[in-house]
């Protein structure tokens, strides 16, 4: 089926700091602020959260298009995995920068990891709860008496926040069950509402065959609750840096600025060249199918664009909401993500604003006219 959206995206809060971008297309030439000569590129290791997929398309595109080369950076992308905690790799010195969800990274920071968020790439939460329409689950209030799947590992706090907002006791009013990172439980009926990301697991149900019709399921077969729309969305993919190195090492700060500038160019490229960016990702890691990766790239773009404050800008209101939920929402064991507010220095817009300045007016940092493409999913995501 053709589909253009998994769930409506909420506009980011009104800009408080404008990056001074124009609507000009992304420039392919070296930005004016970059030194003309590059004798020895700076080696940089970027730790991802997971394996190669379009969730990280901007970094692969920037590598493929030579944006890191233009910024005198020799980038090595380190894939993630089940046992890899990106922010820990960063704090231990095994990576120079890391991609991590804000609540998880803040928990590591509270535990002693001296890291800071230098660019909030995803401006919106992509977490959903998906159910069959006949279950009648259209709001978190409808979770009452239902079996609700969640992944755990720190991915469950938006669900708990939604339950609290709906006045439901997670211990007595719903049945919470551990869910694999797939939609099997929903499709076999053992889960009434399954956790999903707009860009991955939701596509999995639309790639599956409805045994009653012999055709693929359609969006009309499902109800989708967006935690962003429900008001409990937490900030997700951000770029984290070593806070100590930023403070003590001017060279690292310079590298961070150039790294962000190149990465931003990569995300702009993926915004304006969705199919080409998908092909770059497939060439780097063809584990997921063509239509699934295209769907994912399209959905990832919706989490980034439009960016009224400028791509990468860390909005105080969204940050505060994430921090508040992380402190005030206990899970079944009574634990919260954070035990206290994040301390000073947990994020900074200084580096991303310096990256904007490096790029100048040639790159559209806001994407005000962004519109998603239409994606047709094939069986199995092929």
């Amino acid at each position: 089926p053709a589909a253009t959206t998994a769930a409506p995206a909420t506009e980011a809060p009104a800009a408080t700091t404008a990056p001074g971008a124009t609507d000009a297309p992304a420039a392919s030439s070296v930005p004016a602020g970059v030194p003309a000569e590059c004798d020895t590129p700076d080696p940089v290791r970027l730790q991802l959260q997971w394996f190669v997929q379009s969730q990280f398309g901007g970094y692969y595109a920037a590598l493929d298009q030579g944006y890191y080369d233009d910024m005198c950076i020799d980038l090595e992308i380190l894939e993630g995995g089940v046992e890899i905690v990106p922010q820990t790799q960063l704090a231990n010195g095994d990576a120079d920068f890391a991609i991590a969800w804000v609540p998880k990274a803040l928990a590591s920071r509270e535990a002693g990891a001296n890291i800071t968020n230098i660019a909030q790439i995803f401006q919106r939460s992509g977490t959903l709860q998906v159910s069959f329409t006949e279950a009648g689950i259209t709001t978190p209030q409808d979770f009452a008496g239902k079996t609700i799947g969640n992944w755990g590992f720190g991915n469950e706090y938006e669900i708990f926040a939604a339950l609290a907002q709906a006045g439901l006791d997670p211990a007595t009013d719903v049945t919470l069950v551990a869910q694999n990172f797939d939609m099997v439980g929903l499709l076999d009926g053992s889960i009434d509402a399954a956790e999903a990301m707009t860009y991955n697991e939701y596509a999995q149900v639309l790639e599956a065959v409805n045994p009653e019709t012999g055709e693929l399921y359609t969006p009309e077969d499902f109800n989708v609750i967006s935690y962003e729309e429900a008001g409990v969305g937490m900030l997700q993919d951000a770029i984290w840096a070593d806070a100590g190195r930023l403070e003590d090492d001017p060279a690292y700060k310079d590298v961070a600025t150039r790294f962000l500038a190149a990465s931003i160019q990569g995300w702009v490229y993926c915004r304006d060249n969705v199919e080409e960016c998908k092909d770059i990702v497939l060439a780097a890691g063809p584990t997921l199918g063509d239509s699934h990766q295209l769907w994912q790239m399209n959905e990832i773009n919706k989490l980034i664009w439009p960016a009224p404050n400028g791509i990468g800008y860390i909005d105080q209101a969204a940050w505060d909401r994430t921090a508040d939920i992380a402190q005030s929402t206990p899970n079944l064991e009574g634990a919260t993500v954070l035990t206290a507010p994040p301390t000073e220095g947990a994020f900074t817009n200084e580096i991303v604003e310096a990256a904007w300045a490096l790029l100048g007016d040639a790159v559209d940092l806001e994407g005000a006219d962004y519109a998603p493409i239409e994606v047709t999913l094939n069986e199995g995501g092929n």
Side-chain angles (χ1 to χ4, degrees), residues 195-271:
E195 189 170 11
M197 301 307 295
T198 58
Y199 51 82
N200 198 358
E201 290 78 16
Y202 181 56
Q204 290 177 17
V205 295
L206 300 178
E207 297 161 355
V209 173
N210 182 344
E212 295 183 2
T213 65
E215 303 291 333
L216 296 186
Y217 284 108
T218 71
E220 291 70 33
D221 294 318
F222 303 99
N223 284 328
V224 172
I225 294 173
S226 160
Y227 288 117
E228 181 74 22
E229 289 293 311
V232 294
M234 301 174 81
L235 290 172
Q236 298 179 346
D237 290 33
I239 299 176
W240 295 79
D242 185 311
R245 290 176 68 188
L246 276 183
E247 184 175 351
D248 300 333
D249 184 357
Y252 178 72
K253 191 172 185 178
D254 174 62
V255 167
T257 301
R258 288 184 279 122
F259 166 73
L260 278 193
S263 299
I264 286 170
Q265 285 184 288
W267 284 116
V268 169
Y269 178 88
C270 288
R271 178 195 69 202

Coordinates of all heavy atoms in Angstrom, one line a residue, residues 195-271:
E195 N 4.6 -1.5 20.9 CA 5.5 -0.3 20.8 C 6.1 -0.4 19.4 O 6.5 -1.5 18.9 CB 6.6 -0.3 21.9 CG 7.4 1.0 21.9 CD 8.2 1.1 23.2 OE1 8.4 0.1 23.9 OE2 8.8 2.2 23.4
A196 N 6.3 0.7 18.8 CA 6.9 0.8 17.5 C 7.5 2.2 17.2 O 7.1 3.1 17.8 CB 5.8 0.5 16.4
M197 N 8.5 2.2 16.3 CA 9.0 3.5 15.8 C 8.4 3.7 14.5 O 8.1 2.8 13.7 CB 10.5 3.4 15.7 CG 11.3 3.1 17.0 SD 10.9 4.2 18.4 CE 11.5 5.8 17.8
T198 N 8.1 5.0 14.2 CA 7.5 5.4 13.0 C 8.3 4.8 11.8 O 7.7 4.4 10.8 CB 7.4 6.9 12.8 OG1 8.8 7.4 12.9 CG2 6.6 7.5 13.9
Y199 N 9.6 4.8 12.0 CA 10.5 4.5 10.8 C 10.9 3.0 10.7 O 11.6 2.6 9.8 CB 11.7 5.3 10.9 CG 12.5 5.3 12.2 CD1 13.4 4.3 12.5 CD2 12.3 6.4 13.1 CE1 14.1 4.4 13.7 CE2 13.0 6.4 14.3 CZ 13.9 5.4 14.6 OH 14.5 5.4 15.8
N200 N 10.4 2.2 11.7 CA 10.9 0.8 11.6 C 9.7 -0.2 11.8 O 9.2 -0.8 10.9 CB 12.0 0.6 12.6 CG 12.8 -0.7 12.3 OD1 12.5 -1.4 11.4 ND2 13.8 -0.9 13.1
E201 N 9.3 -0.4 13.1 CA 8.4 -1.5 13.4 C 7.0 -1.2 12.8 O 6.3 -2.1 12.5 CB 8.3 -1.7 14.9 CG 9.5 -2.3 15.6 CD 10.6 -1.3 15.8 OE1 10.4 -0.1 15.7 OE2 11.8 -1.7 16.0
Y202 N 6.6 0.1 12.7 CA 5.3 0.4 12.1 C 5.3 -0.1 10.6 O 4.3 -0.6 10.1 CB 5.0 1.8 12.2 CG 3.7 2.2 11.6 CD1 2.5 1.6 12.0 CD2 3.6 3.2 10.6 CE1 1.3 1.9 11.4 CE2 2.4 3.5 10.0 CZ 1.2 2.9 10.4 OH 0.0 3.2 9.8
A203 N 6.5 0.1 10.0 CA 6.6 -0.4 8.6 C 6.5 -1.9 8.5 O 5.9 -2.4 7.6 CB 7.9 0.1 8.0
Q204 N 6.9 -2.6 9.6 CA 6.9 -4.0 9.6 C 5.5 -4.6 9.5 O 5.3 -5.6 8.8 CB 7.6 -4.6 10.8 CG 9.1 -4.4 10.9 CD 9.7 -4.9 12.1 OE1 9.1 -5.6 12.9 NE2 10.9 -4.4 12.4
V205 N 4.5 -3.9 10.1 CA 3.2 -4.4 10.0 C 2.6 -4.1 8.6 O 1.8 -4.9 8.1 CB 2.2 -3.9 11.1 CG1 2.7 -4.4 12.5 CG2 2.1 -2.4 11.1
L206 N 3.0 -3.0 8.0 CA 2.5 -2.7 6.7 C 3.2 -3.5 5.6 O 2.7 -3.5 4.5 CB 2.7 -1.2 6.5 CG 2.0 -0.3 7.4 CD1 2.3 1.2 7.1 CD2 0.5 -0.5 7.4
E207 N 4.2 -4.2 6.0 CA 4.9 -5.1 5.0 C 4.4 -6.5 5.2 O 4.9 -7.4 4.4 CB 6.4 -5.1 5.3 CG 7.1 -3.7 5.1 CD 8.5 -3.6 5.8 OE1 8.9 -4.5 6.5 OE2 9.1 -2.6 5.6
A208 N 3.6 -6.8 6.1 CA 3.1 -8.1 6.4 C 1.8 -8.4 5.7 O 1.0 -7.5 5.4 CB 2.9 -8.3 7.9
V209 N 1.5 -9.7 5.4 CA 0.3 -10.1 4.6 C -0.8 -10.3 5.6 O -0.6 -11.1 6.6 CB 0.6 -11.3 3.8 CG1 -0.7 -11.8 3.2 CG2 1.6 -11.0 2.7
N210 N -1.9 -9.7 5.3 CA -3.2 -10.0 6.1 C -3.7 -11.3 5.7 O -4.1 -11.5 4.5 CB -4.2 -8.9 5.8 CG -5.5 -9.1 6.6 OD1 -5.7 -10.1 7.1 ND2 -6.3 -8.0 6.7
P211 N -3.7 -12.3 6.6 CA -4.2 -13.7 6.1 C -5.6 -13.7 5.7 O -6.0 -14.6 4.9 CB -4.0 -14.5 7.4 CG -3.9 -13.6 8.5 CD -3.4 -12.3 8.0
E212 N -6.4 -12.7 6.1 CA -7.8 -12.7 5.7 C -8.0 -12.2 4.3 O -9.0 -12.6 3.6 CB -8.6 -11.8 6.6 CG -8.7 -12.4 8.1 CD -9.6 -11.5 9.0 OE1 -10.1 -10.5 8.4 OE2 -9.6 -11.8 10.2
T213 N -7.1 -11.4 3.8 CA -7.3 -10.9 2.4 C -6.2 -11.4 1.4 O -6.4 -11.3 0.2 CB -7.2 -9.3 2.5 OG1 -5.9 -8.9 2.9 CG2 -8.2 -8.8 3.4
G214 N -5.1 -11.9 2.0 CA -4.0 -12.3 1.1 C -3.2 -11.1 0.6 O -2.3 -11.3 -0.2
E215 N -3.6 -9.9 1.0 CA -2.9 -8.7 0.6 C -2.2 -8.1 1.8 O -2.4 -8.5 3.0 CB -3.9 -7.6 0.1 CG -4.7 -8.1 -1.1 CD -3.9 -8.3 -2.4 OE1 -2.8 -7.7 -2.5 OE2 -4.3 -9.2 -3.2
L216 N -1.3 -7.1 1.6 CA -0.6 -6.5 2.7 C -1.6 -5.7 3.5 O -2.6 -5.2 3.0 CB 0.5 -5.5 2.2 CG 1.6 -6.1 1.4 CD1 2.7 -5.0 1.1 CD2 2.3 -7.2 2.1
Y217 N -1.3 -5.6 4.8 CA -2.1 -4.7 5.7 C -2.0 -3.3 5.2 O -1.0 -2.9 4.6 CB -1.6 -4.8 7.1 CG -2.0 -6.1 7.9 CD1 -1.0 -7.1 8.2 CD2 -3.3 -6.3 8.3 CE1 -1.4 -8.2 8.9 CE2 -3.6 -7.4 9.0 CZ -2.7 -8.4 9.3 OH -3.0 -9.5 10.0
T218 N -3.0 -2.5 5.5 CA -2.9 -1.1 5.2 C -3.0 -0.3 6.5 O -3.4 -0.8 7.5 CB -4.1 -0.7 4.3 OG1 -5.3 -0.8 5.1 CG2 -4.3 -1.7 3.1
P219 N -2.7 1.0 6.4 CA -2.8 1.9 7.6 C -4.2 1.9 8.2 O -4.3 2.1 9.4 CB -2.4 3.3 7.0 CG -1.5 3.0 5.9 CD -2.0 1.8 5.3
E220 N -5.2 1.7 7.4 CA -6.6 1.7 7.9 C -6.8 0.5 8.8 O -7.8 0.5 9.5 CB -7.6 1.6 6.7 CG -7.6 2.9 5.9 CD -6.4 3.2 5.1 OE1 -5.8 2.2 4.6 OE2 -6.0 4.3 4.9
D221 N -6.0 -0.5 8.8 CA -6.2 -1.7 9.6 C -5.7 -1.4 11.1 O -6.0 -2.3 12.0 CB -5.4 -2.9 9.1 CG -5.9 -3.4 7.8 OD1 -7.1 -3.5 7.6 OD2 -5.1 -3.7 6.9
F222 N -5.1 -0.3 11.3 CA -4.4 -0.1 12.6 C -4.8 1.3 13.2 O -5.1 2.3 12.4 CB -2.9 -0.1 12.5 CG -2.4 -1.5 11.9 CD1 -2.1 -1.6 10.6 CD2 -2.3 -2.6 12.8 CE1 -1.6 -2.8 10.1 CE2 -1.8 -3.8 12.3 CZ -1.5 -3.9 10.9
N223 N -4.8 1.4 14.5 CA -4.8 2.6 15.2 C -3.4 2.9 15.7 O -2.7 2.0 16.1 CB -5.8 2.6 16.4 CG -7.2 2.7 16.0 OD1 -7.6 3.4 15.0 ND2 -8.1 2.1 16.7
V224 N -3.0 4.2 15.6 CA -1.6 4.6 15.9 C -1.7 5.7 16.9 O -2.4 6.7 16.7 CB -0.8 5.0 14.7 CG1 0.5 5.6 15.1 CG2 -0.7 3.8 13.7
I225 N -1.1 5.5 18.1 CA -0.9 6.6 19.1 C 0.5 7.1 19.0 O 1.4 6.3 19.2 CB -1.3 6.1 20.5 CG1 -2.8 5.7 20.6 CG2 -0.9 7.2 21.5 CD1 -3.1 5.1 21.9
S226 N 0.7 8.4 18.7 CA 2.0 9.0 18.7 C 2.2 9.6 20.1 O 1.4 10.4 20.5 CB 2.0 10.1 17.6 OG 3.1 11.0 17.9
Y227 N 3.3 9.3 20.7 CA 3.6 9.9 22.0 C 4.0 11.3 21.9 O 3.8 12.1 22.8 CB 4.7 9.0 22.7 CG 4.1 7.7 23.2 CD1 4.6 6.5 22.7 CD2 3.1 7.7 24.1 CE1 4.1 5.3 23.1 CE2 2.5 6.5 24.5 CZ 3.0 5.3 24.0 OH 2.5 4.1 24.4
E228 N 4.5 11.7 20.7 CA 4.7 13.1 20.5 C 3.4 13.9 20.5 O 3.3 14.9 21.2 CB 5.4 13.3 19.1 CG 5.8 14.8 18.8 CD 6.9 15.3 19.6 OE1 7.8 14.6 20.1 OE2 7.0 16.6 19.7
E229 N 2.4 13.4 19.8 CA 1.1 14.0 19.8 C 0.4 13.9 21.1 O -0.4 14.9 21.5 CB 0.2 13.3 18.7 CG 0.6 13.5 17.3 CD 0.4 15.0 16.9 OE1 -0.7 15.5 17.2 OE2 1.3 15.6 16.3
A230 N 0.7 12.9 21.9 CA 0.1 12.8 23.2 C 0.7 13.7 24.3 O 0.2 13.8 25.4 CB 0.2 11.3 23.7
G231 N 1.8 14.4 23.9 CA 2.4 15.3 24.8 C 3.5 14.8 25.7 O 3.9 15.4 26.7
V232 N 3.9 13.5 25.5 CA 4.9 12.9 26.4 C 6.1 12.4 25.6 O 6.8 11.5 26.0 CB 4.3 11.7 27.2 CG1 3.2 12.2 28.2 CG2 3.7 10.6 26.3
G233 N 6.3 13.0 24.4 CA 7.4 12.6 23.6 C 8.7 13.1 24.2 O 8.8 14.2 24.8
M234 N 9.7 12.2 24.2 CA 11.0 12.5 24.8 C 12.0 12.6 23.6 O 11.9 12.0 22.6 CB 11.5 11.5 25.8 CG 10.5 11.3 26.9 SD 10.9 9.9 28.0 CE 12.1 10.7 29.1
L235 N 13.0 13.5 23.8 CA 14.0 13.8 22.7 C 14.8 12.5 22.5 O 15.2 11.8 23.4 CB 14.9 14.9 23.1 CG 14.3 16.3 23.1 CD1 15.2 17.3 23.7 CD2 13.8 16.7 21.7
Q236 N 15.0 12.2 21.2 CA 15.7 11.0 20.9 C 17.1 11.2 20.3 O 17.9 11.8 20.9 CB 14.8 10.1 20.0 CG 13.5 9.8 20.8 CD 12.5 9.0 20.1 OE1 12.5 8.8 18.8 NE2 11.5 8.4 20.8
D237 N 17.3 10.8 19.0 CA 18.7 10.9 18.5 C 19.3 12.3 18.6 O 18.9 13.2 17.9 CB 18.7 10.4 17.0 CG 18.4 8.9 16.9 OD1 17.6 8.4 17.7 OD2 18.9 8.3 16.0
A238 N 20.4 12.3 19.3 CA 21.2 13.5 19.4 C 22.7 13.2 19.3 O 23.1 12.0 19.4 CB 21.0 14.2 20.8
I239 N 23.5 14.2 19.0 CA 25.0 14.0 18.9 C 25.6 14.4 20.2 O 25.4 15.5 20.6 CB 25.6 14.7 17.7 CG1 25.0 14.2 16.4 CG2 27.1 14.6 17.7 CD1 25.4 15.0 15.2
W240 N 26.3 13.5 20.8 CA 26.9 13.7 22.1 C 28.4 13.8 22.0 O 29.0 13.1 21.2 CB 26.6 12.6 23.1 CG 25.1 12.6 23.4 CD1 24.1 12.1 22.6 CD2 24.4 13.2 24.5 NE1 22.9 12.3 23.2 CE2 23.0 13.0 24.4 CE3 24.9 13.9 25.7 CZ2 22.1 13.5 25.3 CZ3 24.0 14.3 26.6 CH2 22.6 14.1 26.4
A241 N 29.0 14.7 22.8 CA 30.5 14.9 22.7 C 31.0 14.8 24.2 O 30.3 14.7 25.1 CB 30.8 16.3 22.2
D242 N 32.4 14.6 24.2 CA 33.1 14.6 25.5 C 33.2 16.0 26.1 O 33.8 16.8 25.6 CB 34.5 14.0 25.3 CG 35.2 13.7 26.6 OD1 35.3 14.7 27.4 OD2 35.8 12.6 26.7
A243 N 32.4 16.2 27.2 CA 32.4 17.5 27.8 C 33.7 18.0 28.3 O 34.1 19.2 28.1 CB 31.4 17.6 28.9
G244 N 34.5 17.1 28.9 CA 35.8 17.5 29.3 C 36.8 17.9 28.2 O 37.5 19.0 28.3
R245 N 36.7 17.2 27.1 CA 37.6 17.6 26.0 C 37.1 18.9 25.4 O 38.0 19.7 24.9 CB 37.6 16.4 24.9 CG 38.3 15.2 25.4 CD 38.1 14.1 24.3 NE 38.8 14.4 23.1 CZ 38.7 13.7 22.0 NH1 37.9 12.6 21.9 NH2 39.4 14.0 20.9
L246 N 35.8 19.1 25.3 CA 35.3 20.4 24.8 C 35.8 21.6 25.6 O 36.2 22.6 25.0 CB 33.8 20.4 24.8 CG 33.0 19.8 23.6 CD1 31.6 20.0 23.8 CD2 33.5 20.3 22.3
E247 N 35.9 21.4 26.9 CA 36.3 22.5 27.8 C 37.9 22.7 27.7 O 38.3 23.8 27.8 CB 35.9 22.2 29.2 CG 36.2 23.3 30.2 CD 35.6 23.0 31.6 OE1 34.8 22.0 31.7 OE2 35.9 23.8 32.5
D248 N 38.6 21.6 27.6 CA 40.0 21.6 27.8 C 40.9 21.6 26.5 O 42.0 22.0 26.5 CB 40.5 20.5 28.7 CG 39.9 20.5 30.1 OD1 39.5 21.6 30.5 OD2 39.7 19.4 30.7
D249 N 40.3 21.2 25.4 CA 41.0 21.0 24.2 C 40.4 21.8 23.1 O 39.5 21.3 22.4 CB 41.0 19.5 23.9 CG 41.9 19.1 22.7 OD1 42.5 20.1 22.1 OD2 42.0 17.9 22.3
P250 N 41.0 22.9 22.7 CA 40.5 23.7 21.6 C 40.4 23.0 20.3 O 39.6 23.2 19.5 CB 41.4 24.9 21.5 CG 42.0 25.0 22.9 CD 42.1 23.6 23.4
A251 N 41.4 22.1 20.1 CA 41.4 21.3 18.8 C 40.2 20.4 18.7 O 39.6 20.3 17.6 CB 42.7 20.5 18.7
Y252 N 39.8 19.8 19.8 CA 38.6 18.9 19.8 C 37.4 19.8 19.5 O 36.5 19.3 18.8 CB 38.5 18.2 21.1 CG 37.3 17.3 21.3 CD1 37.1 16.1 20.6 CD2 36.2 17.7 22.2 CE1 36.0 15.3 20.8 CE2 35.1 16.9 22.3 CZ 35.0 15.7 21.6 OH 33.9 14.9 21.8
K253 N 37.3 20.9 20.1 CA 36.1 21.8 19.9 C 36.1 22.2 18.4 O 35.0 22.3 17.8 CB 36.3 23.1 20.8 CG 35.1 23.9 20.8 CD 35.2 25.0 21.9 CE 34.0 25.8 22.0 NZ 34.1 26.9 23.1
D254 N 37.2 22.5 17.8 CA 37.2 22.8 16.4 C 36.8 21.6 15.5 O 36.0 21.8 14.6 CB 38.7 23.2 16.0 CG 38.8 23.5 14.5 OD1 38.1 24.3 14.0 OD2 39.6 22.7 13.9
V255 N 37.3 20.4 15.9 CA 36.9 19.2 15.2 C 35.4 19.0 15.3 O 34.7 18.7 14.4 CB 37.6 18.0 15.7 CG1 37.0 16.7 15.2 CG2 39.1 18.1 15.2
A256 N 34.8 19.2 16.5 CA 33.4 19.1 16.8 C 32.6 20.0 15.9 O 31.6 19.6 15.3 CB 33.1 19.3 18.2
T257 N 33.0 21.2 15.7 CA 32.3 22.2 14.9 C 32.3 21.7 13.4 O 31.3 21.7 12.8 CB 33.0 23.5 15.0 OG1 33.0 24.0 16.3 CG2 32.3 24.6 14.1
R258 N 33.5 21.3 12.9 CA 33.6 20.8 11.5 C 32.8 19.5 11.3 O 32.2 19.3 10.3 CB 35.0 20.7 11.1 CG 35.7 22.0 10.9 CD 37.2 21.8 10.5 NE 38.1 21.5 11.6 CZ 38.9 20.4 11.6 NH1 38.8 19.6 10.6 NH2 39.7 20.2 12.6
F259 N 32.9 18.6 12.3 CA 32.1 17.4 12.3 C 30.6 17.7 12.2 O 29.9 17.1 11.4 CB 32.4 16.5 13.5 CG 31.5 15.4 13.6 CD1 31.5 14.3 12.8 CD2 30.5 15.4 14.6 CE1 30.6 13.2 12.9 CE2 29.6 14.3 14.8 CZ 29.7 13.2 13.9
L260 N 30.1 18.6 13.0 CA 28.7 18.9 13.0 C 28.3 19.5 11.6 O 27.3 19.2 11.0 CB 28.3 19.9 14.1 CG 28.0 19.3 15.5 CD1 27.4 20.4 16.4 CD2 27.2 18.1 15.4
A261 N 29.2 20.4 11.1 CA 28.9 21.1 9.8 C 28.7 20.1 8.7 O 27.8 20.1 7.9 CB 30.0 22.1 9.5
A262 N 29.6 19.1 8.7 CA 29.5 18.1 7.6 C 28.3 17.2 7.8 O 27.6 16.8 6.9 CB 30.8 17.2 7.6
S263 N 28.0 16.8 9.1 CA 26.9 16.0 9.4 C 25.6 16.7 9.0 O 24.7 16.0 8.4 CB 26.9 15.6 10.9 OG 28.0 14.9 11.2
I264 N 25.5 18.0 9.3 CA 24.3 18.7 8.9 C 24.1 18.7 7.4 O 23.0 18.5 6.9 CB 24.4 20.2 9.4 CG1 24.2 20.2 10.9 CG2 23.5 21.1 8.7 CD1 24.5 21.5 11.6
Q265 N 25.2 18.9 6.6 CA 25.1 18.8 5.2 C 24.6 17.5 4.7 O 23.9 17.4 3.8 CB 26.5 19.1 4.6 CG 27.0 20.5 4.6 CD 28.3 20.7 3.9 OE1 29.3 20.3 4.4 NE2 28.3 21.3 2.7
G266 N 25.0 16.4 5.4 CA 24.5 15.1 5.1 C 23.0 14.9 5.3 O 22.3 14.4 4.5
W267 N 22.5 15.5 6.4 CA 21.1 15.4 6.7 C 20.3 16.3 5.7 O 19.2 15.9 5.3 CB 20.8 15.8 8.1 CG 21.1 14.7 9.1 CD1 22.1 14.7 10.1 CD2 20.5 13.4 9.1 NE1 22.1 13.5 10.7 CE2 21.2 12.7 10.2 CE3 19.5 12.8 8.4 CZ2 20.8 11.4 10.5 CZ3 19.2 11.5 8.7 CH2 19.8 10.8 9.8
V268 N 20.9 17.4 5.3 CA 20.2 18.3 4.3 C 20.2 17.5 2.9 O 19.2 17.5 2.2 CB 21.0 19.6 4.1 CG1 20.5 20.4 2.9 CG2 20.8 20.4 5.4
Y269 N 21.3 16.8 2.6 CA 21.3 16.0 1.4 C 20.2 14.9 1.4 O 19.5 14.7 0.4 CB 22.6 15.3 1.2 CG 22.8 14.5 0.0 CD1 23.1 15.0 -1.2 CD2 22.5 13.1 0.1 CE1 23.2 14.2 -2.3 CE2 22.5 12.3 -1.0 CZ 22.9 12.8 -2.2 OH 23.0 12.0 -3.3
C270 N 20.0 14.3 2.6 CA 19.0 13.2 2.7 C 17.6 13.8 2.6 O 16.7 13.2 2.2 CB 19.2 12.4 4.0 SG 20.6 11.3 4.0
R271 N 17.4 15.0 3.1 CA 16.1 15.7 3.0 C 15.8 16.0 1.5 O 14.6 15.7 1.1 CB 16.2 17.0 3.8 CG 14.9 17.9 3.7 CD 15.2 19.3 4.2 NE 16.0 20.0 3.2 CZ 16.7 21.1 3.5 NH1 16.7 21.6 4.8 NH2 17.4 21.7 2.6

